[in-house]
Amino acid sequence: MASGVAVSDAVVEAFTQMKMKHDNKYIIMRISEDFTEIVVESTVKESEYDDFVSVLPKDDCRYAIYDFDYKLKDGGERSKLLFYVWCPDSSKIKSKMLYAASKDALKSKLVGFHYEIQATDLEEVEYDEIFEKVSAGGTK
């Protein structure tokens, strides 16, 4: 906890529930207004990928876990939990620094996600871009 920001129990519970039961499509997390802990901002049970991307704030940072479903070239289906660190270029420097410094504390509590996605603009979270990263071009 280099930043001094703790991870709330609700975050760990929401992630564990999602990992075990796949009952949420995504979880959005933020640092609380008093900068003391990472809290759940929202959970969504059903959503398309574009809907998830559209809720990421344009001028502020967030963390997210997304249950990413995709098909392989051979027709097989896969699902992977992705950890997003969203810090758009337009967000405040203090916010970017705090989210970067708090990321490791959060990651250490969220055991079991498959990939980390760090993004600063919408192009970096486009479906095709993420698909290439997590599936090696549809082969795994």
Side-chain angles (χ1 to χ4, degrees), residues 83-87 100 103-104 107 115-121 124-125 130 133:
F83 173 65
Y84 286 76
V85 180
W86 171 251
C87 286
K103 177 182 77 169
D104 287 339
K107 282 175 55 176
Y115 291 97
E116 178 180 335
I117 309 294
Q118 294 190 30
T120 59
D121 64 43
E124 294 174 329
V125 293
I130 302 305
K133 285 182 183 178

Side-chain angles (χ1 to χ4, degrees), residues 10-59:
V11 167
V12 177
E13 289 170 18
F15 174 74
T16 302
Q17 184 81 3
M18 184 176 180
K19 179 174 73 171
M20 302 304 261
K21 296 187 176 185
H22 291 272
D23 60 348
N24 284 319
K25 193 62 179 173
Y26 65 83
I27 304 167
I28 303 284
M29 297 157 283
R30 65 175 175 80
I31 295 177
S32 62
E33 297 296 323
D34 62 1
F35 307 110
T36 59
E37 69 179 341
I38 299 168
V39 298
V40 174
E41 181 174 75
S42 64
T43 59
V44 173
K45 293 193 179 298
E46 293 183 24
S47 175
E48 296 297 320
Y49 187 75
D50 290 341
D51 297 330
F52 161 69
V53 170
S54 72
V55 301
L56 296 172
K58 297 188 182 341
D59 297 322

Side-chain angles (χ1 to χ4, degrees), residues 33-117:
E33 297 296 323
D34 62 1
F35 307 110
T36 59
E37 69 179 341
I38 299 168
V39 298
V40 174
E41 181 174 75
S42 64
T43 59
V44 173
K45 293 193 179 298
E46 293 183 24
S47 175
E48 296 297 320
Y49 187 75
D50 290 341
D51 297 330
F52 161 69
V53 170
S54 72
V55 301
L56 296 172
K58 297 188 182 341
D59 297 322
D60 203 2
C61 302
R62 290 293 185 273
Y63 301 114
I65 297 289
Y66 186 83
D67 193 354
F68 189 79
D69 299 319
Y70 61 95
K71 288 187 180 182
L72 300 174
K73 289 179 180 178
D74 67 7
E77 294 183 6
R78 299 285 187 273
S79 177
K80 295 189 178 175
L81 293 178
L82 308 181
F83 173 65
Y84 286 76
V85 180
W86 171 251
C87 286
D89 291 330
S90 57
S91 57
K92 295 178 182 175
I93 296 292
K94 180 179 179 180
S95 182
K96 289 181 197 180
M97 291 176 63
L98 193 56
Y99 274 78
S102 303
K103 177 182 77 169
D104 287 339
L106 179 58
K107 282 175 55 176
S108 71
K109 299 281 187 172
L110 305 182
V111 178
F113 65 85
H114 295 96
Y115 291 97
E116 178 180 335
I117 309 294

